[in-house]
Amino acid sequence: MNVNIQTVNFNADRKLIEAINHKMDKLATFHDRIIGTDVYLKLDNIVHNIKDKIVEIRVQVPRHSFFVKTTSKSFEESFENAFDSLVNQVKRRKEKMIA
């Protein structure tokens, strides 16, 4: 599975990129027909000292697309929350298709 990771307004370190790739590979266990995945890492409130970290994940499967957006104080926490929400969406969609 090809994971496209894009960063906006900063450069991500290799450890974060590897963690995201490793976690996104696990998504294939929940849906076997994933066409593509995009992960966007963004900084919010650049003017202020405290920067919120935004993670957006878009996953394309045949005839459907999933999208999740979360915000927190760290990219790891934002990604974990977004990934958990995405897994729930994928599971619900797959259950609807089976039923």
Side-chain angles (χ1 to χ4, degrees):
M1 177 173 53
N2 186 19
V3 179
N4 182 21
I5 301 174
Q6 296 182 3
T7 59
V8 180
N9 297 330
F10 78 102
N11 292 325
D13 64 343
R14 200 164 99 171
K15 184 178 176 183
L16 177 63
I17 299 294
E18 288 174 359
I20 290 172
N21 279 324
H22 179 69
K23 194 78 167 182
M24 290 301 289
D25 287 340
K26 294 181 181 180
L27 192 62
T29 61
F30 301 106
H31 201 292
D32 56 347
R33 298 184 63 204
I34 295 175
I35 297 170
T37 57
D38 297 315
V39 178
Y40 300 98
L41 306 173
K42 301 178 183 181
L43 292 174
D44 194 20
N45 296 333
I46 296 173
V47 176
H48 305 291
N49 290 338
I50 301 173
K51 296 182 176 112
D52 290 331
K53 278 59 171 194
I54 301 171
V55 173
E56 297 177 357
I57 304 173
R58 181 181 312 272
V59 176
Q60 292 92 20
V61 297
R63 296 181 295 169
H64 195 70
S65 177
F66 301 101
F67 181 78
V68 179
K69 179 180 179 179
T70 57
T71 303
S72 72
K73 299 297 179 195
S74 73
F75 280 115
E76 291 81 6
E77 182 181 350
S78 293
F79 180 75
E80 288 297 323
N81 293 338
F83 186 78
D84 292 342
S85 180
L86 183 67
V87 167
N88 288 336
Q89 284 185 23
V90 170
K91 285 181 179 178
R92 280 195 314 250
R93 174 73 178 176
K94 191 128 182 176
E95 288 172 4
K96 282 184 180 180
M97 290 175 61
I98 292 172

